[in-house]
Amino acid sequence: MFLQKSLVTGLMLAGLVMAQSANAGAIRADAFFGDNTLAPNDDGSTGLVNLGFTANFFGLNFTQTYVNNNGNITFDNSLSTYTPFDLTSTGRQIIAPFFADVDTRSAGSPVTYGTGTVDGRNAFGVNWVDVDYFFSSPNNINRNSFQLVLIDRSDIAVGDFDIEFNFDQIQWESGTASLGDANGLGGNCARSGFSNGTGDAGSFYEIAGSAVCGSFLDTDLANGLIYNSLNSIVDGRYIFEARSGEVVTPPPPRGDVPEPATLALLGLGLAGLGAARRKK
């Protein structure tokens, strides 16, 4: 499912940096994380890939992960699900900067990933830069650019690491199979956060505005992901500290973004089941 590149051409690197620098600037272009490419696909994943260090994620030590096209990585198995599910109740071990239906077959750029360094520390990163949504088409005008970086903090303790979500441009929030419209808006909207898959208190987190249509977008000047931050002075950067097998509880959620109502979530979930039967 993925293409290993032994050499990265100067043209490809320049194109990636240009795409990143054209937006908000939270994405770490200097670290690149582009030695490997997940070939253009819909709902695909890599096999297990190396992090380059040990990450203690809620008491489980991982040195490898699966990179999934749909805006997330998982530790327990690859994930092809395209309509985002509730990260606060899932049984999956997942870290998801922007869980939604990414489709890179016909337009936009493919997902890249690899190891690098951040501030002299080993790091692993995944770039979803200029990615399209389902059903991918050159006629789709909206694109998203975001990044996940895991940073080794074994200088504190073995297994400690930082989770970093970086957002440069968020112009769509769902695919058409998740009931979004032709512009990638509405329907079952994106979620952002993480979970260790147990449902235990303190073992999961969603950024405020997850599943609330419109709240993550660049058009929301108050609550959009690129205009806010968490544990960072860089707009569009959200940092979570994993220490001694626990992820430090983040401060209060950003802005006044409403959480989705229980009935609304139920409706979206039922709608998503219907959409799942229609896709492909």
Side-chain angles (χ1 to χ4, degrees):
M1 291 297 296
F2 65 100
L3 172 67
Q4 176 76 30
K5 297 188 294 185
S6 59
L7 293 175
V8 180
T9 68
L11 179 61
M12 293 174 67
L13 175 58
L16 178 63
V17 172
M18 286 177 62
Q20 292 170 341
S21 60
N23 300 312
I27 286 178
R28 292 185 180 274
D30 54 343
F32 186 46
F33 302 120
D35 287 340
N36 308 283
T37 297
L38 180 58
N41 75 92
D42 176 43
D43 305 332
S45 303
T46 68
L48 281 170
V49 297
N50 293 326
L51 297 177
F53 59 92
T54 298
N56 181 352
F57 190 57
F58 294 101
L60 297 175
N61 291 318
F62 297 103
T63 59
Q64 297 178 308
T65 190
Y66 298 90
V67 174
N68 304 306
N69 206 58
N70 290 329
N72 62 79
I73 66 170
T74 44
F75 296 110
D76 46 0
N77 210 334
S78 60
L79 182 67
S80 61
T81 302
Y82 51 87
T83 296
F85 46 72
D86 186 354
L87 299 178
T88 69
S89 61
T90 182
R92 300 302 305 268
Q93 297 165 349
I94 182 172
I95 301 176
F98 195 87
F99 186 7
D101 197 358
V102 176
D103 184 356
T104 58
R105 292 174 297 175
S106 299
S109 301
V111 176
T112 62
Y113 63 94
T115 57
T117 58
V118 172
D119 298 328
R121 301 183 178 98
N122 291 333
F124 174 83
V126 186
N127 304 305
W128 289 268
V129 172
D130 191 41
V131 293
D132 199 13
Y133 54 92
F134 184 88
F135 189 79
S136 181
S137 167
N139 295 325
N140 293 348
I141 61 173
N142 293 330
R143 297 284 187 273
N144 286 353
S145 291
F146 58 95
Q147 180 186 58
L148 169 66
V149 184
L150 306 183
I151 305 169
D152 179 21
R153 293 309 308 270
S154 58
D155 57 306
I156 300 173
V158 174
D160 285 358
F161 67 105
D162 290 340
I163 302 169
E164 192 175 274
F165 296 170
N166 294 318
F167 302 97
D168 273 10
Q169 176 174 288
I170 303 297
Q171 296 182 337
W172 63 264
E173 58 193 351
S174 60
T176 57
S178 303
L179 302 185
D181 65 16
N183 294 317
L185 306 176
N188 295 275
C189 292
R191 293 175 181 266
S192 180
F194 55 82
S195 175
N196 77 340
T198 66
D200 295 338
S203 67
F204 53 79
Y205 178 79
E206 283 192 342
I207 289 180
S210 289
V212 178
C213 293
S215 69
F216 283 173
L217 297 174
D218 297 352
T219 51
D220 188 334
L221 301 182
N223 299 303
L225 289 170
I226 70 169
Y227 306 115
N228 293 277
S229 62
L230 188 67
N231 295 329
S232 173
I233 62 172
V234 177
D235 286 347
R237 179 165 296 164
Y238 299 73
I239 300 174
F240 308 89
E241 298 177 346
R243 302 290 185 264
S244 302
E246 303 291 336
V247 180
V248 178
T249 303
R254 48 185 196 112
D256 297 318
V257 179
E259 295 296 335
T262 301
L263 290 178
L265 279 177
L266 177 59
L268 289 173
L270 293 174
L273 289 176
R277 296 189 179 96
R278 291 193 292 272
K279 187 171 184 182
K280 296 186 282 295

